[in-house]
Amino acid sequence: MSEMLEIILDTTGRMFKDYSTQELLESAEQGEWAEELWQVLAESGILHVGIAEELDGAGGDHIDAYNILRLAGKYAVPLPIAETLIAQWLLAEQGVKPSTVPLSISFENEQEFMIDDLGDRFIVNGKAVYVPWARHAKQLLTLGKLNNESVMVLLPLDKAIIEQGANLASEPRDTVIFENFEITALSCFPVNKNEMVNRVYEMGALARSAKMAGAMEQILELTVFYTNERKQFGRPLHRFQAIQHHLSALTGETVASLAALNFAIHENSTKEIALTKMKLSGAAGKIAEISHQVHGAIGVTHEHTLHHYTRRLWSWRDEFGNERYWGSKLADHLMKNNGETLWEFISAGREANLVYGGEK
Amino acid sequence: MINLDLPVVQFTREQEEFRQEVREFLAEEKKKGTFETKCDSWLSGDSPEFSKKLGEKGWIGMTWPKKYGGGERNALDRYILTEELLAAGAPVSAHWFADRQSGPLLLKFGTEEQKEYFLPRIARGDTYFAIGLSEPNSGSDLASLSIRAERTDGGWILNGSKIWSSGAHIAHYMIVLCRTSKLDPNNRHAGLSQFIADLKAPGVTIRPIKFLTGEHHFNEVFFDNVFIPDNRVIGEIGNGWKQGMTELAYERSGPERILSTFPLLEELIRILRENGDYRGMQEAVELLPQLWSMRNMSIGVAKYLDDGVDVNIIAALVKDMGTIFEKNIAEKARLIISRHPSVLSTDIYERFMAQSILHGPGFTLRGGTTEILRGIVAKGVVAG
Ligand SMILES: Cc1cc2nc3c(=O)[nH]c(=O)nc-3n(C[C@H](O)[C@H](O)[C@H](O)COP(=O)(O)OP(=O)(O)OC[C@H]3O[C@@H](n4cnc5c(N)ncnc54)[C@H](O)[C@@H]3O)c2cc1C
């Protein structure tokens, strides 16, 4: 970790901790938008990390960004930071300068908006489901079909029909519908659809892994603290061997998850991302289960903070591909590359990436 | 060695017919829109109307003597009814504890007056009980409880609080385990007694505690100089611990320790069948040997309990293994058919999945935690 990164993370961590309080989390769950914190993030430049300074970005690289997301997970920051960053990165590749409005993304193979070009205006029709934060985001970066060609398109959300939905942590996951929506100007960029979906899934999977890792750290801290504080049978819980086994398993899963994440953040290749998302999604369930078991009944109350993190783990493990999704990518690769031994695959450096599904 | 074999139970023709009758009733009620299937409905599905309907059918307290409003049916009939209700995810939580625990306790230790007064009301489905065991500082270590009652003219004055009392906000009474003489550090189980506390009595305050989903299932109940008349003492003063423990095997070995998330499994299988997904089905059926063997164990325990055999250790095992199985269903299902679970979803698979995951943590805590149960089992097999 560079010294610069250390300083950024230190300040960001303190900022998240100060702002992302239990009250904020609860009001976000009731549907309120954390505008004040969003403004603070906008001013701090966090929303532009990973975008070159020539493009008015904040500089820094993706390593910085994913480490910031890990902190966002550690404090359960109820804002679409990951979605906004990913959208800005994709737009920056097209030469679009970043803004500070909240953005969302939706890239699914079975989903695209139909765009008709009528010369003086466009008509948009279509639907996207499970769109993160759509009700609060200003624009949606997604896939469309224009003149029979696949495009990446930035759609304004203020006129969209939004059907509210939520994940297990009550984070917005809405359905966005456009019905004969007319607009005079649209930003469209020709893309290869499959490639785009795979790329965004990789970015999303790494972002969710980073956030899960942060939540795991928080959960471990909460649990260790509780086993000191709570006494039964005249002793603190950590004195019971059964609890010691739980603490050990919790620490082990967290450390292994962080090792996976750190590696993937640095390598940033499909193989590492696939293995990381599988590892963390698998660990998420175990960590949620153990931490709740150790906390007893107090941990399943709304008043306690534990569930803000466990419910996020239960949600994020399934977003941008769960173990099964990424497992099938690995399986495809291993089925196809006949010459390669498993050991060659495991020990290969970054240039040896996954080959899958005939899409490349 | 403890007895490891459980009896093999084969249901009679009459029992199978009874099962059909229950199924038809439930299908009919569901069609009428009386209820919507839910996971964990024995804790979170309260519907006084539905409880009354079951009462009218004679399906609450169905094993109790007729003179107290019961049906004098055997324990296996009750087992059949209970598992059908749970498999259908029917809203049974209002009367659940009264039927399972409080009624049988009164039947065993209650006075004639208590039996005559309470049992018919419970059996009609209009009087509900809450369980008053846990306290803020006494969870697993129940014997450390501190709520206490002082002797007064014609009864007792109760002071202290109970916590995690499921359904206390809709219950009429709570069976409170409390201290009636000073704690003896050498015999912590002595000096405890069981009272029937009227939850509408002066001095009782019920504070809701929100579950992690934001829903209201359990409560903290405060007793501030609450008068308990002598005729509301259960059994003997000072014998509360022993009396309470006799019910634990019933509490721990029932089908509700296996079937809390069954509606999710049923829906998973239905979708796989509909999709002709043979590979998914092969994975899903890996759950079935667990389900089947747990159910056989649970039925075996029910039979033994009916015959008066002591099965505390196997009952603890049923709860330990059964509740882990209940959690496992969602963990396996999410990889076989991957969708985004949500309590708001219009899709029942996604909804059942959300209910199963969010309620899951409670399964291995309520009614004795996994860690405590394993201690009981280990001690039991070592002692032989
Ligand atoms: C959904 C739900 C409904 C409930 N409903 C009721 C109700 O209606 N009435 C009622 O009275 N109670 C109810 N309870 C309370 C339940 O009985 C307690 O949660 C349970 O007894 C554990 O107590 P605790 O939560 O205080 O955890 P603690 O006892 O503090 O335990 C915390 C952790 O430490 C472990 N632990 C404690 N002691 C030991 C030990 N000696 N060795 C190893 N590990 C140990 C536990 O297993 C657990 O993992 C309910 C609980 C839940 C979750």
Side-chain angles (χ1 to χ4, degrees):
Chain A
M1 195 177 350
S2 72
E3 218 169 284
M4 195 52 210
L5 178 57
E6 225 167 298
I7 295 167
I8 297 174
L9 293 182
D10 192 48
T11 355
T12 312
R14 258 182 285 133
M15 179 172 81
F16 285 162
K17 192 176 178 183
D18 289 347
Y19 277 92
S20 200
T21 58
Q22 178 99 348
E23 292 78 30
L24 186 89
L25 291 177
E26 266 158 35
S27 74
E29 220 175 289
Q30 299 305 315
E32 260 172 69
W33 170 250
E35 177 62 22
E36 195 189 345
L37 179 53
W38 185 262
Q39 286 311 327
V40 174
L41 294 180
E43 276 157 35
S44 72
I46 280 178
L47 301 174
H48 296 167
V49 172
I51 297 170
E53 283 164 27
E54 305 89 84
L55 262 178
D56 295 349
D61 55 19
H62 290 183
I63 298 180
D64 300 348
Y66 286 113
N67 275 297
I68 288 169
L69 290 175
R70 172 172 158 189
L71 284 171
K74 182 166 183 186
Y75 297 103
V77 177
L79 290 169
I81 305 176
E83 291 76 5
T84 301
L85 280 172
I86 292 172
Q88 312 255 42
W89 295 341
L90 294 170
L91 288 167
E93 287 172 4
Q94 306 291 339
V96 179
K97 289 192 171 174
S99 71
T100 54
V101 298
L103 303 175
S104 186
I105 49 174
S106 176
F107 289 79
E108 302 290 337
N109 266 318
E110 353 31 278
Q111 220 167 254
E112 61 190 352
F113 288 90
M114 302 310 293
I115 305 167
D116 288 321
D117 184 354
L118 302 184
D120 58 339
R121 67 211 140 98
F122 299 92
I123 309 280
V124 182
N125 274 293
K127 171 168 137 173
V129 300
Y130 207 75
V131 180
W133 299 94
R135 74 190 75 155
H136 298 303
K138 295 285 177 267
Q139 293 162 324
L140 173 66
L141 190 63
T142 186
L143 291 168
K145 193 137 244 180
L146 174 65
N147 301 327
N148 245 333
E149 276 196 56
S150 289
V151 290
M152 179 170 84
V153 58
L154 189 62
L155 294 170
L157 284 171
D158 49 348
K159 298 269 165 45
I161 300 165
I162 308 262
E163 288 171 1
Q164 299 202 348
N167 65 15
L168 293 176
S170 304
E171 293 180 313
R173 297 293 184 263
D174 303 328
T175 297
V176 173
I177 302 166
F178 285 103
E179 269 173 22
N180 292 321
F181 168 62
E182 283 193 34
I183 185 163
T184 48
L186 261 188
S187 309
C188 292
F189 314 93
V191 290
N192 175 314
K193 182 177 166 186
N194 262 330
E195 249 175 58
M196 252 346 262
V197 172
N198 286 337
R199 273 197 69 204
V200 173
Y201 257 70
E202 287 181 17
M203 293 165 138
L206 196 49
R208 287 294 183 269
S209 296
K211 292 178 73 166
M212 284 197 278
M216 290 171 183
E217 289 175 85
Q218 181 72 264
I219 288 171
L220 179 59
E221 278 180 29
L222 287 170
T223 309
V224 169
F225 174 82
Y226 191 70
T227 60
N228 255 311
E229 190 192 62
R230 172 78 168 171
K231 290 193 179 64
Q232 285 291 276
F233 302 97
R235 310 194 247 171
L237 294 181
H238 69 73
R239 296 276 301 278
F240 298 114
Q241 201 165 44
I243 297 293
Q244 291 165 354
H245 286 186
H246 283 322
L247 286 177
S248 167
L250 206 54
T251 311
E253 289 298 329
T254 307
V255 171
S257 295
L258 286 171
L261 177 78
N262 288 333
F263 206 79
I265 288 179
H266 282 269
E267 296 295 311
N268 209 339
S269 73
T270 312
K271 172 185 147 192
E272 272 75 30
I273 292 171
L275 287 164
T276 296
K277 187 66 165 66
M278 288 173 83
K279 173 64 211 165
L280 272 84
S281 291
K286 293 183 201 156
I287 285 176
E289 174 168 21
I290 296 171
S291 59
H292 272 297
Q293 188 64 21
V294 172
H295 275 82
I298 196 84
V300 298
T301 63
H302 198 73
E303 280 166 276
H304 198 276
T305 52
L306 179 64
H307 67 87
H308 287 297
Y309 305 96
T310 53
R311 287 187 299 142
R312 280 173 172 78
L313 287 186
W314 284 320
S315 304
W316 295 341
R317 66 180 177 173
D318 287 325
E319 296 179 354
F320 294 105
N322 63 13
E323 301 96 298
R324 202 46 67 94
Y325 173 93
W326 290 105
S328 73
K329 302 275 183 205
L330 285 185
D332 274 358
H333 174 86
L334 291 173
M335 294 297 283
K336 288 205 170 84
N337 283 32
N338 292 330
E340 188 191 42
T341 64
L342 175 63
W343 183 244
E344 281 165 348
F345 170 70
I346 289 288
S347 57
R350 68 181 304 175
E351 58 290 344
N353 209 341
L354 282 193
V355 176
Y356 50 66
E359 290 154 2
K360 285 201 174 165
Chain B
M1 201 63 196
I2 60 160
N3 177 15
L4 302 175
D5 287 303
L6 286 163
V8 173
V9 172
Q10 283 175 314
F11 293 114
T12 62
R13 198 152 139 197
E14 290 74 37
Q15 283 168 333
E16 292 303 351
E17 278 166 13
F18 175 57
R19 186 186 293 285
Q20 276 316 315
E21 185 192 340
V22 177
R23 263 182 212 173
E24 279 159 27
F25 166 80
L26 288 170
E28 186 65 23
E29 291 300 317
K30 216 175 144 174
K31 216 162 86 200
K32 281 196 274 179
T34 319
F35 73 92
E36 210 176 68
T37 300
K38 223 176 159 185
C39 289
D40 203 22
S41 66
W42 65 273
L43 194 90
S44 59
D46 48 83
S47 162
E49 303 84 73
F50 191 75
S51 293
K52 284 191 188 106
K53 268 195 183 160
L54 292 184
E56 275 163 31
K57 303 229 43 125
W59 290 350
I60 299 177
M62 65 189 285
T63 60
W64 307 346
K66 289 197 168 131
K67 64 171 170 169
Y68 303 130
E72 295 182 7
R73 308 278 291 261
N74 70 37
L76 291 174
D77 288 349
R78 177 171 183 275
Y79 193 96
I80 291 168
L81 170 73
T82 320
E83 65 173 359
E84 290 298 325
L85 288 166
L86 294 170
V92 289
S93 71
H95 67 274
W96 189 264
F97 298 114
D99 178 57
R100 179 183 77 182
Q101 238 158 312
S102 318
L105 182 79
L106 291 176
L107 208 51
K108 208 158 180 181
F109 299 105
T111 62
E112 194 52 37
E113 183 267 338
Q114 288 170 350
K115 289 188 243 188
E116 278 172 12
Y117 183 81
F118 290 109
L119 297 181
R121 287 176 165 77
I122 295 175
R124 277 203 301 271
D126 56 28
T127 296
Y128 314 131
F129 276 67
I131 303 179
L133 295 173
S134 308
E135 295 179 15
N137 293 320
S138 307
S140 298
D141 185 11
L142 183 60
S144 69
L145 62 83
S146 62
I147 186 172
R148 49 176 304 117
E150 304 280 348
R151 191 77 189 122
T152 185
D153 262 3
W156 298 80
I157 300 285
L158 186 62
N159 274 297
S161 71
K162 290 290 176 186
I163 199 168
W164 318 125
S165 323
S166 303
H169 55 299
I170 52 167
H172 305 87
Y173 300 94
M174 172 186 271
I175 296 191
V176 177
L177 182 66
C178 69
R179 217 161 261 303
T180 40
S181 43
K182 261 220 177 70
L183 174 73
D184 171 3
N186 296 321
N187 188 2
R188 303 191 313 153
H189 300 159
L192 296 170
S193 306
Q194 288 179 305
F195 293 157
I196 304 169
D198 180 349
L199 292 173
K200 309 278 179 307
V204 177
T205 314
I206 300 177
R207 182 181 76 92
I209 303 177
K210 277 202 244 165
F211 192 64
L212 57 75
T213 51
E215 296 159 294
H216 179 192
H217 306 312
F218 47 35
N219 304 274
E220 186 161 14
V221 181
F222 300 90
F223 298 90
D224 181 16
N225 288 318
V226 174
F227 176 68
I228 309 279
D230 279 330
N231 67 0
R232 290 298 168 256
V233 173
I234 304 173
E236 278 171 55
I237 287 292
N239 198 33
W241 184 266
K242 248 202 189 140
Q243 289 170 192
M245 292 306 112
T246 58
E247 301 308 316
L248 280 182
Y250 287 95
E251 186 188 334
R252 289 180 173 158
S253 65
E256 71 270 33
R257 304 304 183 178
I258 306 168
L259 298 178
S260 300
T261 57
F262 186 78
L264 173 63
L265 181 56
E266 184 78 83
E267 182 61 13
L268 171 71
I269 299 289
R270 193 194 64 73
I271 298 174
L272 292 170
R273 199 188 284 138
E274 192 175 276
N275 295 348
D277 183 346
Y278 187 79
R279 263 179 90 176
M281 189 64 93
Q282 263 190 319
E283 276 185 69
V285 296
E286 285 172 15
L287 287 163
L288 301 190
Q290 295 177 56
L291 170 61
W292 186 72
S293 57
M294 295 306 313
R295 176 172 178 255
N296 289 344
M297 274 170 76
S298 169
I299 294 173
V301 172
K303 176 86 177 74
Y304 263 166
L305 283 171
D306 205 31
D307 300 343
V309 181
D310 173 17
V311 275
N312 272 324
I313 292 162
I314 312 251
L317 272 176
V318 171
K319 201 209 157 229
D320 173 15
M321 296 163 70
T323 52
I324 286 170
F325 168 74
E326 291 180 325
K327 282 182 170 175
N328 228 340
I329 291 179
E331 292 304 309
K332 215 163 164 101
R334 65 176 271 274
L335 296 178
I336 301 175
I337 296 179
S338 300
R339 302 248 193 93
H340 293 296
S342 166
V343 283
L344 302 175
S345 179
T346 48
D347 178 281
I348 62 169
Y349 179 76
E350 290 173 9
R351 223 164 51 234
F352 289 166
M353 180 81 84
Q355 292 160 356
S356 302
I357 292 172
L358 294 172
H359 285 238
F363 301 168
T364 48
L365 295 170
R366 60 189 183 194
T369 69
T370 303
E371 292 71 22
I372 295 298
L373 294 172
R374 287 180 183 172
I376 293 170
V377 173
K379 259 187 221 137
V381 284
V382 170

